Short mmCIF file of all heavy atoms in Angstrom, two decimals:
data_model
loop_
_atom_site.label_atom_id
_atom_site.label_comp_id
_atom_site.label_asym_id
_atom_site.label_seq_id
_atom_site.Cartn_x
_atom_site.Cartn_y
_atom_site.Cartn_z
N GLN A 13 113.10 94.30 98.22
CA GLN A 13 113.72 95.48 97.79
C GLN A 13 112.74 96.65 97.69
O GLN A 13 111.56 96.50 97.46
CB GLN A 13 114.26 95.22 96.37
CG GLN A 13 115.59 94.40 96.37
CD GLN A 13 116.18 94.47 95.03
OE1 GLN A 13 115.63 94.44 93.92
NE2 GLN A 13 117.57 94.38 95.05
N LEU A 20 100.91 90.98 104.04
CA LEU A 20 100.86 90.35 105.38
C LEU A 20 99.35 89.82 105.55
O LEU A 20 98.41 90.42 105.13
CB LEU A 20 101.19 91.45 106.38
CG LEU A 20 102.51 92.10 106.30
CD1 LEU A 20 102.68 93.03 107.49
CD2 LEU A 20 103.62 91.25 106.14
N SER A 21 99.35 88.73 106.30
CA SER A 21 98.07 88.20 106.64
C SER A 21 98.00 88.16 108.28
O SER A 21 98.93 87.99 108.91
CB SER A 21 97.98 86.69 106.10
OG SER A 21 98.10 86.65 104.77
N ALA A 24 92.62 85.10 112.58
CA ALA A 24 92.09 85.14 113.93
C ALA A 24 91.39 83.77 114.23
O ALA A 24 90.76 83.15 113.34
CB ALA A 24 91.06 86.22 114.10
N GLY A 26 89.05 82.03 117.56
CA GLY A 26 88.47 82.35 118.91
C GLY A 26 87.61 83.57 118.99
O GLY A 26 86.92 83.75 119.99
N PHE A 27 87.58 84.37 117.88
CA PHE A 27 86.71 85.56 117.77
C PHE A 27 86.58 85.84 116.40
O PHE A 27 87.40 85.28 115.53
CB PHE A 27 87.35 86.66 118.63
CG PHE A 27 88.38 87.44 117.91
CD1 PHE A 27 88.16 88.67 117.22
CD2 PHE A 27 89.71 86.96 118.06
CE1 PHE A 27 89.17 89.33 116.57
CE2 PHE A 27 90.79 87.73 117.50
CZ PHE A 27 90.56 88.90 116.73
N ASN A 32 84.44 92.92 115.26
CA ASN A 32 85.26 93.79 116.04
C ASN A 32 86.04 94.84 115.28
O ASN A 32 86.21 94.63 114.04
CB ASN A 32 86.35 92.88 116.73
CG ASN A 32 85.95 92.05 117.81
OD1 ASN A 32 85.71 92.38 118.96
ND2 ASN A 32 85.45 90.76 117.46
N THR A 68 96.99 98.86 101.50
CA THR A 68 95.60 98.55 101.51
C THR A 68 95.26 97.41 102.32
O THR A 68 95.90 96.37 102.26
CB THR A 68 95.12 98.28 99.99
OG1 THR A 68 95.52 99.35 99.14
CG2 THR A 68 93.65 98.11 99.92
N ASN A 73 86.10 87.29 105.16
CA ASN A 73 85.36 86.89 106.40
C ASN A 73 85.25 85.25 106.57
O ASN A 73 85.23 84.70 107.58
CB ASN A 73 84.05 87.45 106.32
CG ASN A 73 83.97 88.98 106.63
OD1 ASN A 73 84.90 89.59 107.30
ND2 ASN A 73 83.06 89.61 106.16
N GLN A 81 98.07 94.75 102.33
CA GLN A 81 98.87 94.76 101.02
C GLN A 81 99.65 95.87 101.01
O GLN A 81 99.19 97.09 101.21
CB GLN A 81 97.85 94.76 99.87
CG GLN A 81 98.58 94.79 98.53
CD GLN A 81 99.28 93.56 98.20
OE1 GLN A 81 98.85 92.45 98.35
NE2 GLN A 81 100.52 93.81 97.67
N ASN A 105 99.02 106.29 118.21
CA ASN A 105 100.31 105.83 118.26
C ASN A 105 100.73 105.64 119.76
O ASN A 105 100.22 106.25 120.58
CB ASN A 105 101.35 106.80 117.67
CG ASN A 105 101.18 106.82 116.12
OD1 ASN A 105 100.59 105.99 115.53
ND2 ASN A 105 101.90 107.82 115.54
N MET A 107 103.96 103.55 122.56
CA MET A 107 105.31 103.29 122.83
C MET A 107 105.78 102.00 122.30
O MET A 107 105.82 101.71 121.11
CB MET A 107 105.49 103.46 124.43
CG MET A 107 105.12 104.79 124.92
SD MET A 107 106.15 106.13 124.19
CE MET A 107 107.68 105.80 125.10
N LEU A 111 104.43 95.66 124.22
CA LEU A 111 103.92 95.65 125.42
C LEU A 111 102.67 96.61 125.47
O LEU A 111 101.63 96.12 126.08
CB LEU A 111 104.88 96.27 126.48
CG LEU A 111 106.21 95.50 126.70
CD1 LEU A 111 107.19 96.14 127.49
CD2 LEU A 111 105.86 94.07 127.27
#
Side-chain angles (χ1 to χ4, degrees):
Q13 284 192 324
L20 306 184
S21 299
F27 77 99
N32 289 274
T68 303
N73 290 337
Q81 177 67 44
N105 291 347
M107 301 298 287
L111 299 176

